[in-house]
Amino acid sequence: MTLRVLDIVGGTSVDGPGLRTSVYFAGCNHHCPGCHNPQSWDAAGGMEMTIDEIIAVIDENDFNVTLSGGDPLMQVEGVTELARRLKEAGRNVWCYTGYTYEQVSASPRLSGVLPYIDVLVDGAFIESRRDVGLRFRGSSNQRLIDVARSEPGSPVVWGD
């Protein structure tokens, strides 16, 4: 199975706590006005990589992992398999999405990724709610959801 990847950045500290490897996936249908990464919207962008190739880069960096984009859930089947393998290897996994936790947990297609995600950074970026003082997100509507402590319809906000 291959995924469309724009970039993999090791040693970043802006996409979750500590140093992390961030995998930026191609494709996003949210098209948020003011998006800081509109070049990520093209689902055909970037390059094809196998899950094994992605994991090899992650293992080389040896950090916890953030899945970003674009929207990783545009490629949810492959991203779910990647997240499963990362969790089984003991990695902490964060995932950014323009969908809300409620939308993801209610969707039979999207919800399969949740058991392998530690924190879901949810919600579309809303330019009028932009706040540069927020940690790990761009607008005040976005939440850091502690997936393990949450239940469908009852999200729990992550706190470090």
Side-chain angles (χ1 to χ4, degrees):
M1 175 175 288
T2 62
L3 293 161
R4 298 293 305 184
V5 175
L6 296 169
D7 199 6
I8 301 177
V9 177
T12 183
S13 61
V14 297
D15 295 328
L19 292 177
R20 307 182 74 79
T21 296
S22 288
V23 182
Y24 297 93
F25 292 96
C28 184
N29 62 4
H30 304 291
H31 298 183
C32 304
C35 173
H36 76 284
N37 199 10
Q39 65 274 20
S40 69
W41 296 354
D42 181 4
M47 61 190 153
E48 282 194 0
M49 292 181 74
T50 67
I51 292 172
D52 287 338
E53 289 170 332
I54 296 168
I55 288 175
V57 175
I58 291 167
D59 287 346
E60 183 178 307
N61 290 314
D62 198 27
F63 299 121
N64 287 316
V65 180
T66 296
L67 309 174
S68 191
D71 190 327
L73 300 189
M74 299 298 299
Q75 302 180 68
V76 71
E77 292 80 9
V79 166
T80 297
E81 176 61 17
L82 172 62
R84 181 189 67 77
R85 290 180 55 188
L86 293 170
K87 283 306 296 178
E88 288 177 355
R91 303 256 184 223
N92 174 273
V93 180
W94 280 40
C95 182
Y96 282 75
T97 182
Y99 297 105
T100 64
Y101 172 78
E102 291 81 0
Q103 290 171 316
V104 174
S105 62
S107 167
R109 180 171 173 260
L110 300 178
S111 63
V113 74
L114 291 175
Y116 312 112
I117 302 297
D118 293 287
V119 172
L120 186 75
V121 184
D122 81 336
F125 171 76
I126 298 176
E127 195 168 18
S128 64
R129 295 184 66 179
R130 180 176 184 258
D131 183 345
V132 296
L134 295 171
R135 288 185 73 200
F136 310 130
R137 59 203 189 280
S139 59
S140 61
N141 62 295
Q142 296 171 311
R143 303 173 296 179
L144 308 173
I145 303 298
D146 185 331
V147 176
R149 294 177 50 218
S150 299
E151 295 178 15
S154 185
V156 175
V157 174
W158 173 85
D160 59 349

Short mmCIF file of all heavy atoms in Angstrom, two decimals, residues 19-88:
data_model
loop_
_atom_site.label_atom_id
_atom_site.label_comp_id
_atom_site.label_asym_id
_atom_site.label_seq_id
_atom_site.Cartn_x
_atom_site.Cartn_y
_atom_site.Cartn_z
N LEU A 19 10.37 16.56 20.65
CA LEU A 19 10.80 16.44 19.26
C LEU A 19 10.02 15.30 18.62
O LEU A 19 9.86 14.24 19.21
CB LEU A 19 12.31 16.18 19.18
CG LEU A 19 13.18 17.35 19.63
CD1 LEU A 19 14.66 16.94 19.56
CD2 LEU A 19 12.93 18.58 18.79
N ARG A 20 9.54 15.54 17.41
CA ARG A 20 8.68 14.58 16.72
C ARG A 20 9.10 14.49 15.26
O ARG A 20 9.73 15.39 14.72
CB ARG A 20 7.22 15.02 16.79
CG ARG A 20 6.73 15.30 18.21
CD ARG A 20 5.26 15.68 18.25
NE ARG A 20 4.39 14.54 18.02
CZ ARG A 20 4.08 13.63 18.94
NH1 ARG A 20 4.59 13.71 20.15
NH2 ARG A 20 3.28 12.63 18.65
N THR A 21 8.70 13.40 14.62
CA THR A 21 8.78 13.31 13.18
C THR A 21 7.39 13.58 12.65
O THR A 21 6.43 12.91 13.03
CB THR A 21 9.26 11.92 12.72
OG1 THR A 21 10.60 11.72 13.19
CG2 THR A 21 9.22 11.80 11.21
N SER A 22 7.26 14.61 11.81
CA SER A 22 5.96 14.94 11.22
C SER A 22 5.92 14.45 9.78
O SER A 22 6.83 14.72 8.99
CB SER A 22 5.71 16.45 11.26
OG SER A 22 5.44 16.87 12.58
N VAL A 23 4.85 13.72 9.48
CA VAL A 23 4.61 13.23 8.12
C VAL A 23 3.48 14.07 7.55
O VAL A 23 2.38 14.09 8.11
CB VAL A 23 4.23 11.74 8.11
CG1 VAL A 23 4.05 11.25 6.68
CG2 VAL A 23 5.27 10.90 8.85
N TYR A 24 3.76 14.78 6.46
CA TYR A 24 2.78 15.66 5.83
C TYR A 24 2.22 14.96 4.59
O TYR A 24 2.94 14.69 3.64
CB TYR A 24 3.42 16.99 5.44
CG TYR A 24 3.92 17.75 6.66
CD1 TYR A 24 5.23 17.61 7.09
CD2 TYR A 24 3.06 18.55 7.39
CE1 TYR A 24 5.69 18.28 8.22
CE2 TYR A 24 3.51 19.23 8.52
CZ TYR A 24 4.82 19.08 8.93
OH TYR A 24 5.27 19.74 10.05
N PHE A 25 0.92 14.66 4.65
CA PHE A 25 0.25 13.93 3.57
C PHE A 25 -0.40 14.87 2.58
O PHE A 25 -0.86 15.96 2.93
CB PHE A 25 -0.81 13.00 4.16
CG PHE A 25 -0.22 11.87 4.96
CD1 PHE A 25 -0.10 11.97 6.34
CD2 PHE A 25 0.23 10.73 4.34
CE1 PHE A 25 0.46 10.95 7.08
CE2 PHE A 25 0.80 9.70 5.07
CZ PHE A 25 0.91 9.81 6.44
N ALA A 26 -0.47 14.43 1.33
CA ALA A 26 -1.11 15.21 0.27
C ALA A 26 -2.61 15.00 0.32
O ALA A 26 -3.10 13.92 0.63
CB ALA A 26 -0.56 14.77 -1.09
N GLY A 27 -3.33 16.07 -0.01
CA GLY A 27 -4.77 16.00 -0.15
C GLY A 27 -5.53 16.59 1.02
O GLY A 27 -5.30 16.22 2.16
N CYS A 28 -6.40 17.53 0.69
CA CYS A 28 -7.28 18.10 1.71
C CYS A 28 -8.48 18.70 0.98
O CYS A 28 -8.32 19.49 0.06
CB CYS A 28 -6.58 19.17 2.53
SG CYS A 28 -7.63 19.80 3.86
N ASN A 29 -9.67 18.31 1.43
CA ASN A 29 -10.87 18.85 0.79
C ASN A 29 -11.55 19.93 1.65
O ASN A 29 -12.61 20.41 1.31
CB ASN A 29 -11.87 17.74 0.45
CG ASN A 29 -12.37 17.00 1.67
OD1 ASN A 29 -12.04 17.34 2.80
ND2 ASN A 29 -13.17 15.97 1.45
N HIS A 30 -10.92 20.32 2.76
CA HIS A 30 -11.51 21.35 3.62
C HIS A 30 -11.29 22.76 3.05
O HIS A 30 -12.14 23.63 3.21
CB HIS A 30 -10.95 21.25 5.04
CG HIS A 30 -11.15 19.90 5.64
ND1 HIS A 30 -12.38 19.41 6.00
CD2 HIS A 30 -10.27 18.92 5.93
CE1 HIS A 30 -12.25 18.19 6.50
NE2 HIS A 30 -10.97 17.87 6.46
N HIS A 31 -10.12 22.97 2.39
CA HIS A 31 -9.80 24.24 1.73
C HIS A 31 -10.10 25.44 2.62
O HIS A 31 -10.78 26.39 2.22
CB HIS A 31 -10.53 24.37 0.40
CG HIS A 31 -10.16 23.30 -0.58
ND1 HIS A 31 -10.66 23.27 -1.85
CD2 HIS A 31 -9.34 22.22 -0.49
CE1 HIS A 31 -10.16 22.22 -2.50
NE2 HIS A 31 -9.36 21.57 -1.68
N CYS A 32 -9.56 25.43 3.82
CA CYS A 32 -9.81 26.49 4.80
C CYS A 32 -9.21 27.81 4.32
O CYS A 32 -8.01 27.87 4.00
CB CYS A 32 -9.19 26.13 6.15
SG CYS A 32 -9.76 24.57 6.83
N PRO A 33 -10.01 28.88 4.27
CA PRO A 33 -9.43 30.19 3.96
C PRO A 33 -8.34 30.54 4.97
O PRO A 33 -8.52 30.33 6.17
CB PRO A 33 -10.62 31.15 4.09
CG PRO A 33 -11.83 30.29 3.85
CD PRO A 33 -11.46 28.94 4.45
N GLY A 34 -7.19 31.01 4.47
CA GLY A 34 -6.08 31.36 5.35
C GLY A 34 -5.19 30.18 5.69
O GLY A 34 -4.26 30.33 6.49
N CYS A 35 -5.43 29.02 5.11
CA CYS A 35 -4.60 27.83 5.36
C CYS A 35 -3.13 28.17 5.14
O CYS A 35 -2.77 28.83 4.17
CB CYS A 35 -5.02 26.70 4.41
SG CYS A 35 -3.96 25.24 4.46
N HIS A 36 -2.29 27.71 6.08
CA HIS A 36 -0.85 27.99 5.95
C HIS A 36 -0.16 27.04 4.96
O HIS A 36 1.01 27.20 4.66
CB HIS A 36 -0.15 27.92 7.32
CG HIS A 36 0.07 26.54 7.83
ND1 HIS A 36 -0.93 25.77 8.37
CD2 HIS A 36 1.19 25.78 7.86
CE1 HIS A 36 -0.44 24.60 8.72
NE2 HIS A 36 0.84 24.57 8.41
N ASN A 37 -0.89 26.05 4.46
CA ASN A 37 -0.28 25.04 3.60
C ASN A 37 -1.22 24.67 2.43
O ASN A 37 -1.52 23.49 2.23
CB ASN A 37 0.05 23.81 4.46
CG ASN A 37 1.07 22.91 3.82
OD1 ASN A 37 1.70 23.25 2.82
ND2 ASN A 37 1.24 21.73 4.39
N PRO A 38 -1.71 25.66 1.65
CA PRO A 38 -2.66 25.33 0.58
C PRO A 38 -2.09 24.43 -0.50
O PRO A 38 -2.84 23.74 -1.19
CB PRO A 38 -3.07 26.70 0.02
CG PRO A 38 -1.97 27.62 0.42
CD PRO A 38 -1.43 27.09 1.72
N GLN A 39 -0.76 24.39 -0.64
CA GLN A 39 -0.16 23.49 -1.63
C GLN A 39 -0.41 22.03 -1.26
O GLN A 39 -0.26 21.14 -2.09
CB GLN A 39 1.33 23.78 -1.82
CG GLN A 39 2.19 23.51 -0.60
CD GLN A 39 2.28 24.67 0.38
OE1 GLN A 39 1.44 25.57 0.39
NE2 GLN A 39 3.29 24.64 1.23
N SER A 40 -0.83 21.78 -0.02
CA SER A 40 -1.11 20.41 0.41
C SER A 40 -2.48 19.91 -0.04
O SER A 40 -2.79 18.74 0.12
CB SER A 40 -1.02 20.31 1.94
OG SER A 40 -2.09 21.02 2.54
N TRP A 41 -3.30 20.77 -0.59
CA TRP A 41 -4.67 20.39 -0.96
C TRP A 41 -4.71 19.38 -2.09
O TRP A 41 -5.64 18.58 -2.18
CB TRP A 41 -5.47 21.62 -1.35
CG TRP A 41 -5.68 22.62 -0.25
CD1 TRP A 41 -5.32 22.50 1.07
CD2 TRP A 41 -6.27 23.90 -0.38
NE1 TRP A 41 -5.66 23.63 1.76
CE2 TRP A 41 -6.24 24.51 0.91
CE3 TRP A 41 -6.81 24.60 -1.44
CZ2 TRP A 41 -6.76 25.78 1.14
CZ3 TRP A 41 -7.32 25.87 -1.21
CH2 TRP A 41 -7.29 26.44 0.07
N ASP A 42 -3.73 19.41 -2.98
CA ASP A 42 -3.73 18.54 -4.16
C ASP A 42 -3.45 17.09 -3.77
O ASP A 42 -2.36 16.76 -3.32
CB ASP A 42 -2.67 19.04 -5.15
CG ASP A 42 -2.61 18.22 -6.43
OD1 ASP A 42 -3.43 17.30 -6.62
OD2 ASP A 42 -1.71 18.51 -7.25
N ALA A 43 -4.45 16.24 -3.95
CA ALA A 43 -4.31 14.83 -3.57
C ALA A 43 -3.27 14.10 -4.40
O ALA A 43 -2.78 13.04 -4.00
CB ALA A 43 -5.67 14.12 -3.69
N ALA A 44 -2.91 14.66 -5.55
CA ALA A 44 -1.90 14.04 -6.41
C ALA A 44 -0.52 14.64 -6.16
O ALA A 44 0.44 14.29 -6.84
CB ALA A 44 -2.29 14.20 -7.88
N GLY A 45 -0.40 15.52 -5.18
CA GLY A 45 0.87 16.16 -4.89
C GLY A 45 1.85 15.22 -4.21
O GLY A 45 1.54 14.09 -3.86
N GLY A 46 3.05 15.71 -4.03
CA GLY A 46 4.07 14.95 -3.31
C GLY A 46 4.53 13.73 -4.07
O GLY A 46 4.55 13.70 -5.29
N MET A 47 4.86 12.69 -3.29
CA MET A 47 5.38 11.46 -3.89
C MET A 47 4.70 10.26 -3.24
O MET A 47 4.24 10.33 -2.10
CB MET A 47 6.89 11.39 -3.67
CG MET A 47 7.27 11.37 -2.20
SD MET A 47 9.03 11.59 -1.97
CE MET A 47 9.06 12.32 -0.35
N GLU A 48 4.66 9.18 -3.97
CA GLU A 48 4.14 7.93 -3.40
C GLU A 48 5.21 7.28 -2.56
O GLU A 48 6.37 7.20 -2.99
CB GLU A 48 3.70 6.98 -4.51
CG GLU A 48 2.38 7.33 -5.12
CD GLU A 48 1.81 6.20 -5.97
OE1 GLU A 48 2.45 5.12 -6.09
OE2 GLU A 48 0.71 6.39 -6.50
N MET A 49 4.82 6.85 -1.38
CA MET A 49 5.73 6.10 -0.51
C MET A 49 4.97 4.93 0.08
O MET A 49 3.78 5.05 0.40
CB MET A 49 6.25 6.98 0.64
CG MET A 49 7.16 8.10 0.21
SD MET A 49 7.76 9.07 1.64
CE MET A 49 8.96 7.92 2.36
N THR A 50 5.65 3.81 0.23
CA THR A 50 5.03 2.68 0.91
C THR A 50 5.05 2.94 2.42
O THR A 50 5.84 3.76 2.91
CB THR A 50 5.77 1.36 0.62
OG1 THR A 50 7.07 1.44 1.22
CG2 THR A 50 5.87 1.08 -0.88
N ILE A 51 4.22 2.22 3.13
CA ILE A 51 4.22 2.33 4.59
C ILE A 51 5.59 1.94 5.13
O ILE A 51 6.11 2.59 6.04
CB ILE A 51 3.08 1.49 5.19
CG1 ILE A 51 1.74 2.13 4.82
CG2 ILE A 51 3.22 1.35 6.70
CD1 ILE A 51 0.51 1.31 5.17
N ASP A 52 6.20 0.92 4.57
CA ASP A 52 7.54 0.51 5.02
C ASP A 52 8.56 1.63 4.81
O ASP A 52 9.42 1.85 5.67
CB ASP A 52 8.00 -0.74 4.28
CG ASP A 52 7.29 -2.00 4.74
OD1 ASP A 52 6.75 -2.02 5.87
OD2 ASP A 52 7.28 -2.98 3.97
N GLU A 53 8.47 2.34 3.69
CA GLU A 53 9.40 3.45 3.44
C GLU A 53 9.20 4.58 4.45
O GLU A 53 10.17 5.16 4.94
CB GLU A 53 9.23 3.98 2.02
CG GLU A 53 9.73 3.03 0.95
CD GLU A 53 9.34 3.44 -0.46
OE1 GLU A 53 8.30 4.11 -0.65
OE2 GLU A 53 10.10 3.08 -1.39
N ILE A 54 7.94 4.89 4.75
CA ILE A 54 7.64 5.94 5.72
C ILE A 54 8.18 5.54 7.10
O ILE A 54 8.83 6.34 7.78
CB ILE A 54 6.13 6.23 5.77
CG1 ILE A 54 5.65 6.77 4.42
CG2 ILE A 54 5.80 7.19 6.91
CD1 ILE A 54 4.13 6.81 4.27
N ILE A 55 7.93 4.31 7.49
CA ILE A 55 8.38 3.84 8.80
C ILE A 55 9.91 3.84 8.88
O ILE A 55 10.48 4.16 9.92
CB ILE A 55 7.78 2.46 9.12
CG1 ILE A 55 6.28 2.63 9.42
CG2 ILE A 55 8.50 1.79 10.29
CD1 ILE A 55 5.53 1.34 9.65
N ALA A 56 10.58 3.54 7.78
CA ALA A 56 12.05 3.55 7.79
C ALA A 56 12.57 4.96 8.11
O ALA A 56 13.53 5.10 8.87
CB ALA A 56 12.59 3.07 6.45
N VAL A 57 11.94 5.98 7.55
CA VAL A 57 12.36 7.36 7.83
C VAL A 57 12.06 7.70 9.29
O VAL A 57 12.88 8.30 9.99
CB VAL A 57 11.67 8.36 6.88
CG1 VAL A 57 12.01 9.80 7.26
CG2 VAL A 57 12.06 8.08 5.43
N ILE A 58 10.88 7.31 9.76
CA ILE A 58 10.50 7.55 11.15
C ILE A 58 11.48 6.86 12.10
O ILE A 58 11.94 7.45 13.07
CB ILE A 58 9.05 7.09 11.40
CG1 ILE A 58 8.08 8.02 10.66
CG2 ILE A 58 8.73 7.04 12.89
CD1 ILE A 58 6.66 7.50 10.57
N ASP A 59 11.80 5.61 11.81
CA ASP A 59 12.73 4.86 12.66
C ASP A 59 14.12 5.49 12.66
O ASP A 59 14.80 5.50 13.69
CB ASP A 59 12.81 3.40 12.22
CG ASP A 59 11.57 2.60 12.59
OD1 ASP A 59 10.75 3.09 13.41
OD2 ASP A 59 11.42 1.48 12.06
N GLU A 60 14.54 6.00 11.53
CA GLU A 60 15.85 6.66 11.43
C GLU A 60 15.91 7.89 12.34
O GLU A 60 16.91 8.15 13.00
CB GLU A 60 16.12 7.05 9.98
CG GLU A 60 17.46 7.68 9.74
CD GLU A 60 17.66 8.00 8.27
OE1 GLU A 60 17.49 7.09 7.43
OE2 GLU A 60 17.99 9.17 7.96
N ASN A 61 14.81 8.64 12.40
CA ASN A 61 14.75 9.83 13.25
C ASN A 61 14.54 9.46 14.71
O ASN A 61 15.00 10.17 15.60
CB ASN A 61 13.63 10.76 12.79
CG ASN A 61 13.93 11.42 11.46
OD1 ASN A 61 15.02 11.92 11.25
ND2 ASN A 61 12.97 11.40 10.56
N ASP A 62 13.82 8.37 14.97
CA ASP A 62 13.57 7.83 16.31
C ASP A 62 12.88 8.81 17.26
O ASP A 62 13.29 8.98 18.41
CB ASP A 62 14.87 7.29 16.92
CG ASP A 62 14.59 6.34 18.08
OD1 ASP A 62 13.52 5.71 18.09
OD2 ASP A 62 15.44 6.24 18.99
N PHE A 63 11.84 9.47 16.76
CA PHE A 63 11.01 10.34 17.58
C PHE A 63 9.57 9.83 17.54
O PHE A 63 9.22 8.99 16.71
CB PHE A 63 11.01 11.79 17.04
CG PHE A 63 12.36 12.45 17.02
CD1 PHE A 63 12.90 12.92 15.83
CD2 PHE A 63 13.08 12.63 18.19
CE1 PHE A 63 14.15 13.55 15.80
CE2 PHE A 63 14.33 13.26 18.18
CZ PHE A 63 14.86 13.71 16.98
N ASN A 64 8.73 10.38 18.41
CA ASN A 64 7.30 10.15 18.28
C ASN A 64 6.83 10.82 17.00
O ASN A 64 7.59 11.54 16.35
CB ASN A 64 6.57 10.65 19.52
CG ASN A 64 6.81 9.74 20.70
OD1 ASN A 64 6.76 8.52 20.58
ND2 ASN A 64 7.08 10.33 21.85
N VAL A 65 5.57 10.59 16.63
CA VAL A 65 5.14 10.91 15.27
C VAL A 65 3.88 11.78 15.26
O VAL A 65 2.97 11.57 16.07
CB VAL A 65 4.86 9.61 14.48
CG1 VAL A 65 4.40 9.91 13.06
CG2 VAL A 65 6.10 8.73 14.47
N THR A 66 3.85 12.72 14.33
CA THR A 66 2.66 13.50 14.05
C THR A 66 2.29 13.30 12.59
O THR A 66 3.14 13.42 11.70
CB THR A 66 2.89 15.00 14.33
OG1 THR A 66 3.15 15.15 15.73
CG2 THR A 66 1.67 15.82 13.96
N LEU A 67 1.03 13.00 12.36
CA LEU A 67 0.48 12.84 11.01
C LEU A 67 -0.26 14.12 10.68
O LEU A 67 -1.18 14.51 11.39
CB LEU A 67 -0.45 11.63 10.96
CG LEU A 67 0.15 10.33 11.53
CD1 LEU A 67 -0.89 9.23 11.56
CD2 LEU A 67 1.39 9.91 10.75
N SER A 68 0.15 14.79 9.59
CA SER A 68 -0.42 16.09 9.27
C SER A 68 -0.62 16.18 7.76
O SER A 68 -0.59 15.17 7.07
CB SER A 68 0.50 17.20 9.80
OG SER A 68 -0.14 18.45 9.74
N GLY A 69 -0.78 17.36 7.26
CA GLY A 69 -1.00 17.46 5.83
C GLY A 69 -1.09 18.89 5.38
O GLY A 69 -0.47 19.76 5.98
N GLY A 70 -2.04 19.03 4.48
CA GLY A 70 -3.19 18.28 4.03
C GLY A 70 -3.99 17.76 5.21
O GLY A 70 -3.94 18.24 6.33
N ASP A 71 -4.78 16.76 4.89
CA ASP A 71 -5.54 16.06 5.93
C ASP A 71 -5.24 14.57 5.78
O ASP A 71 -5.64 13.95 4.80
CB ASP A 71 -7.03 16.32 5.79
CG ASP A 71 -7.83 15.81 6.97
OD1 ASP A 71 -7.44 14.79 7.58
OD2 ASP A 71 -8.86 16.42 7.30
N PRO A 72 -4.54 13.98 6.77
CA PRO A 72 -4.20 12.56 6.69
C PRO A 72 -5.42 11.67 6.48
O PRO A 72 -5.31 10.60 5.87
CB PRO A 72 -3.54 12.27 8.04
CG PRO A 72 -3.09 13.58 8.55
CD PRO A 72 -4.04 14.60 8.00
N LEU A 73 -6.59 12.10 6.96
CA LEU A 73 -7.77 11.24 6.85
C LEU A 73 -8.33 11.20 5.44
O LEU A 73 -9.23 10.41 5.16
CB LEU A 73 -8.83 11.66 7.87
CG LEU A 73 -8.37 11.57 9.33
CD1 LEU A 73 -9.54 11.79 10.28
CD2 LEU A 73 -7.63 10.28 9.64
N MET A 74 -7.76 11.97 4.52
CA MET A 74 -8.11 11.83 3.10
C MET A 74 -7.57 10.51 2.57
O MET A 74 -8.05 10.02 1.56
CB MET A 74 -7.55 13.00 2.29
CG MET A 74 -8.06 14.37 2.70
SD MET A 74 -9.85 14.57 2.51
CE MET A 74 -10.01 14.32 0.76
N GLN A 75 -6.58 9.94 3.25
CA GLN A 75 -6.00 8.64 2.89
C GLN A 75 -6.15 7.69 4.07
O GLN A 75 -5.20 7.01 4.47
CB GLN A 75 -4.52 8.82 2.53
CG GLN A 75 -4.26 9.79 1.40
CD GLN A 75 -2.78 9.90 1.10
OE1 GLN A 75 -2.16 8.96 0.61
NE2 GLN A 75 -2.21 11.06 1.38
N VAL A 76 -7.34 7.66 4.65
CA VAL A 76 -7.54 7.04 5.97
C VAL A 76 -7.17 5.56 6.02
O VAL A 76 -6.65 5.10 7.03
CB VAL A 76 -8.97 7.30 6.51
CG1 VAL A 76 -10.01 6.50 5.73
CG2 VAL A 76 -9.03 7.00 8.00
N GLU A 77 -7.41 4.81 4.97
CA GLU A 77 -7.09 3.39 5.03
C GLU A 77 -5.59 3.16 5.23
O GLU A 77 -5.18 2.40 6.11
CB GLU A 77 -7.61 2.65 3.78
CG GLU A 77 -9.12 2.59 3.69
CD GLU A 77 -9.80 3.86 3.16
OE1 GLU A 77 -9.11 4.77 2.68
OE2 GLU A 77 -11.04 3.93 3.24
N GLY A 78 -4.78 3.81 4.41
CA GLY A 78 -3.34 3.67 4.55
C GLY A 78 -2.81 4.31 5.82
O GLY A 78 -1.91 3.76 6.47
N VAL A 79 -3.37 5.45 6.20
CA VAL A 79 -2.93 6.13 7.42
C VAL A 79 -3.28 5.29 8.65
O VAL A 79 -2.51 5.23 9.61
CB VAL A 79 -3.52 7.55 7.48
CG1 VAL A 79 -3.38 8.16 8.87
CG2 VAL A 79 -2.84 8.44 6.44
N THR A 80 -4.42 4.60 8.61
CA THR A 80 -4.79 3.73 9.73
C THR A 80 -3.76 2.60 9.87
O THR A 80 -3.32 2.29 10.99
CB THR A 80 -6.20 3.15 9.53
OG1 THR A 80 -7.14 4.24 9.52
CG2 THR A 80 -6.57 2.17 10.63
N GLU A 81 -3.37 2.00 8.77
CA GLU A 81 -2.36 0.93 8.82
C GLU A 81 -1.03 1.47 9.33
O GLU A 81 -0.36 0.84 10.16
CB GLU A 81 -2.20 0.28 7.46
CG GLU A 81 -1.12 -0.78 7.39
CD GLU A 81 -1.33 -1.97 8.31
OE1 GLU A 81 -2.45 -2.19 8.82
OE2 GLU A 81 -0.34 -2.70 8.56
N LEU A 82 -0.63 2.65 8.86
CA LEU A 82 0.61 3.26 9.33
C LEU A 82 0.52 3.53 10.83
O LEU A 82 1.44 3.17 11.58
CB LEU A 82 0.86 4.57 8.58
CG LEU A 82 2.03 5.43 9.08
CD1 LEU A 82 3.36 4.69 8.95
CD2 LEU A 82 2.06 6.76 8.33
N ALA A 83 -0.57 4.14 11.29
CA ALA A 83 -0.73 4.46 12.71
C ALA A 83 -0.74 3.19 13.56
O ALA A 83 -0.16 3.16 14.65
CB ALA A 83 -2.00 5.27 12.92
N ARG A 84 -1.37 2.13 13.07
CA ARG A 84 -1.40 0.86 13.80
C ARG A 84 0.02 0.35 14.01
O ARG A 84 0.41 -0.04 15.12
CB ARG A 84 -2.24 -0.18 13.05
CG ARG A 84 -2.31 -1.54 13.79
CD ARG A 84 -2.95 -2.62 12.93
NE ARG A 84 -2.16 -2.98 11.78
CZ ARG A 84 -1.06 -3.76 11.82
NH1 ARG A 84 -0.62 -4.25 12.95
NH2 ARG A 84 -0.40 -4.04 10.71
N ARG A 85 0.81 0.37 12.97
CA ARG A 85 2.18 -0.13 13.07
C ARG A 85 3.03 0.76 13.98
O ARG A 85 3.88 0.26 14.72
CB ARG A 85 2.78 -0.27 11.67
CG ARG A 85 2.10 -1.43 10.93
CD ARG A 85 2.60 -1.67 9.54
NE ARG A 85 4.04 -1.86 9.48
CZ ARG A 85 4.72 -1.93 8.33
NH1 ARG A 85 4.09 -1.83 7.18
NH2 ARG A 85 6.03 -2.10 8.35
N LEU A 86 2.80 2.06 13.93
CA LEU A 86 3.55 2.97 14.80
C LEU A 86 3.20 2.73 16.27
O LEU A 86 4.08 2.70 17.12
CB LEU A 86 3.27 4.42 14.42
CG LEU A 86 3.78 4.86 13.05
CD1 LEU A 86 3.23 6.23 12.69
CD2 LEU A 86 5.31 4.84 13.01
N LYS A 87 1.91 2.55 16.57
CA LYS A 87 1.48 2.29 17.95
C LYS A 87 2.04 0.96 18.44
O LYS A 87 2.49 0.85 19.57
CB LYS A 87 -0.05 2.28 18.07
CG LYS A 87 -0.70 3.63 18.07
CD LYS A 87 -0.16 4.58 19.12
CE LYS A 87 -0.43 4.10 20.52
NZ LYS A 87 0.16 5.02 21.53
N GLU A 88 2.00 -0.05 17.59
CA GLU A 88 2.54 -1.36 17.97
C GLU A 88 4.04 -1.29 18.24
O GLU A 88 4.57 -2.08 19.02
CB GLU A 88 2.24 -2.40 16.89
CG GLU A 88 0.77 -2.79 16.87
CD GLU A 88 0.41 -3.76 15.76
OE1 GLU A 88 1.28 -4.08 14.91
OE2 GLU A 88 -0.76 -4.19 15.73
#
